Amino acid sequence: MGGFSAQDLTAIFVMQGFAGLSFFSVLLLMALGLAIIYGQMRVINMAHGEFMVIGAYATYLLTSALRHLPGGLDVSVFLAIPVAFLAAFVVGYFIEWLLIRHLYHRPLDTLLATWGLALIMQQGFRSAFGAREVSVPVPDWLRGSYRPTMMIDIPLNGLAIMLLTVLVTVAVWWFLYRSRWGLRVRCTTANREMSGAVGINTKRVDRMTFAIGCGIAGIAGAAFTTISSTGPTSGSLYIVDTFLVVVFGGAGSLVGTIASAFSIAQAQSIMEFFMGGSMAKVLTLLTVIGILLLRPEGLVASKVRR
Amino acid sequence: MLEVKDLRVSYGQSEVIHGIDFVTAKDETLAIMGRNGMGKTTLFKSLIGILPGSSGSIVLDGREVGNLPSHERVAAGLAYVPQGRMIFPNLTVMENIESGLETLKTSKVPDEIFDLFPVLREMRKRKGGNLSGGQQQQLAIARALVSEPKVLLLDEPTEGIQPSIIKDIAHTLNEIRRMKKIAIVVSEQVLSFTMAIADRLAVIEKGKIIHEEEGKSANQEKIASYLAV
């Protein structure tokens, strides 16, 4: 690494590391929703990115409506999260009823169907909001950065997203592993027929699970607006990475999803600085493929007799 | 308690259960005996609603349940222990039992379950899939029992289980009936096990009940001849 002094390198690692953390946060928020939908329900939801975009546009609409009121911008930041969740949740609920519930016996077909859905949704966004990207103004206290030394510059909006990610992760963990709903979800995934035979209404569980997964993607969308502008195709940029995270982490494992989102985001972000985006991506993908060859079930696989 | 009339079940075009009738009373154990492939499991699956019946009626405590989905049948008072146990392998023992509480208001597993199955108390933090076959069978019965059923359906509970544990299971089933006064319908091939628990025996062959008699006075040789291959 010629040309960089030790001090430069430290600063680069810290800042790229932090950029990686922001990327990690959005990726993890996306992946959490997908971990529920793919990891638990085995539905390959190619439209997951578009549900994120719904959350982002919901945030945009909310902020546009509130920004001219006094203090409206401050309120909208906090309102955006539940609104984005709800918007994506409602659409997800409807889509499950319309499309997904007919495809549980044909998992591979969900890939095609949801990919088509993604295209439809993208065009829908384009018709409704225009092809131009929109950006959401953030309140003053989220702008600017924290500078511990002269060379290190950590953006505040990144910190806010990280905090949000921690909260959502804890909420998802609690939902899946401590709540009555989570138990229903895990039973239904393990054995649909048997779940019905112990008294679980599996159709309702499927619908709620899918909708909640979509809602979490909506939260990712709300977070996304603070670091980037939103366009009709913003979601499709993330979908591949998100699937990578879920598969690499071990489908159905929350710890695995977190670990894999972290390692992929960090590797990408730090390598990007030295070798450019494409090479970084190639190297990340190769490493992931290599590791998956050795551990086909992902980083964290549950150990149980079969 | 449970009244089945002219129940017919088909896989596609081929009918497997050709009009079965039986009645079980409250506080009675009915054993349905039959060789492999005679329709025992198909019958049980259609009773709980995993397989749709093509015609006939299933009346539970005066209420027709034959057209309800599984989970509503459970709410109405049926409970099912499938062949091969089918516990949830990735869930802990405690979570497996709790899954049976779905149709109740409470979310607490009653202590009497652990009195019946003390081994499950010891193992409550373990994953269900890591239990032995006999323990999994107890877990499956416990899971069915916490839903406070009126009728308990057990499909071949002794399959693949060692003889000493089979005796324990027979003892537990008698205990359950004594405590709860429920109806138990069990499908079985092991005659000694059946004799230990059943008030009445019915023999199923090729999707029809061809023979029925009282359990205590049953002609064991005759039943055994039906079970012989």
Side-chain angles (χ1 to χ4, degrees), chain B:
Chain B
M1 187 52 72
L2 183 69
E3 211 179 326
V4 177
K5 266 206 200 101
D6 194 35
L7 182 68
R8 289 169 188 275
V9 187
S10 311
Y11 291 106
Q13 292 291 316
S14 67
E15 191 177 88
V16 178
I17 301 288
H18 312 289
I20 276 190
D21 306 86
F22 67 83
V23 180
T24 45
K26 196 178 172 207
D27 195 14
E28 182 190 39
T29 302
L30 170 69
I32 295 180
M33 310 283 294
R35 282 176 281 148
N36 285 342
M38 290 304 155
K40 296 189 299 294
T41 296
T42 307
L43 171 65
F44 275 66
K45 279 187 174 174
S46 79
L47 288 177
I48 192 65
I50 290 174
L51 285 172
S54 44
S55 71
S57 82
I58 304 168
V59 176
L60 174 69
D61 205 12
R63 182 177 169 207
E64 172 66 46
V65 296
N67 41 20
L68 298 178
S70 295
H71 65 94
E72 287 180 33
R73 295 188 198 198
V74 176
L78 275 180
Y80 172 59
V81 180
Q83 186 176 24
R85 301 167 291 266
M86 303 287 169
I87 51 136
F88 302 114
N90 278 312
L91 269 57
T92 64
V93 167
M94 196 63 182
E95 287 171 334
N96 264 285
I97 303 176
E98 281 169 354
S99 71
L101 292 167
E102 185 66 21
T103 51
L104 301 183
K105 293 239 161 31
T106 171
S107 58
K108 196 184 168 302
V109 176
D111 283 335
E112 59 175 27
I113 290 295
F114 292 121
D115 296 340
L116 274 170
F117 306 104
V119 67
L120 296 183
R121 193 200 299 270
E122 282 164 45
M123 306 241 166
R124 64 187 183 280
K125 299 244 165 75
R126 290 242 210 131
K127 283 192 176 168
N130 293 337
L131 265 54
S132 74
Q135 291 163 347
Q136 289 190 5
Q137 186 65 59
Q138 298 184 32
L139 179 55
I141 297 174
R143 177 180 67 182
L145 213 55
V146 288
S147 69
E148 291 178 5
K150 296 172 185 153
V151 177
L152 179 62
L153 307 169
L154 295 116
D155 194 1
E156 294 214 32
T158 62
E159 187 201 32
I161 288 171
Q162 69 181 52
S164 67
I165 308 278
I166 291 182
K167 272 186 193 154
D168 288 351
I169 292 177
H171 176 75
T172 313
L173 288 180
N174 284 330
E175 185 76 357
I176 290 169
R177 220 194 77 197
R178 196 182 57 74
M179 277 166 52
K180 303 266 188 183
K181 309 276 180 225
I182 57 175
I184 298 178
V185 184
V186 57
S187 84
E188 214 20 273
Q189 301 198 51
V190 179
L191 193 54
S192 59
F193 175 76
T194 316
M195 294 310 292
I197 58 167
D199 300 306
R200 216 142 45 82
L201 279 82
V203 177
I204 183 172
E205 195 159 289
K206 295 187 180 149
K208 274 191 155 144
I209 289 183
I210 53 161
H211 180 74
E212 233 183 299
E213 63 181 310
E214 289 301 312
K216 300 291 170 274
S217 60
N219 181 347
Q220 292 199 31
E221 276 173 32
K222 190 171 179 195
I223 305 271
S225 74
Y226 283 120
L227 296 176
V229 182

Side-chain angles (χ1 to χ4, degrees), chain A residues 45-48 50-51 91 95-96 98-100 110-125 210:
Chain A
N45 183 17
M46 292 300 283
H48 200 69
E50 277 59 45
F51 283 97
V91 178
I95 294 293
E96 201 279 345
L98 184 74
L99 187 69
I100 311 291
T110 58
L111 188 147
L112 273 179
T114 53
W115 187 56
L117 176 70
L119 294 179
I120 294 170
M121 285 167 82
Q122 282 175 21
Q123 189 53 45
F125 299 141
F210 188 80

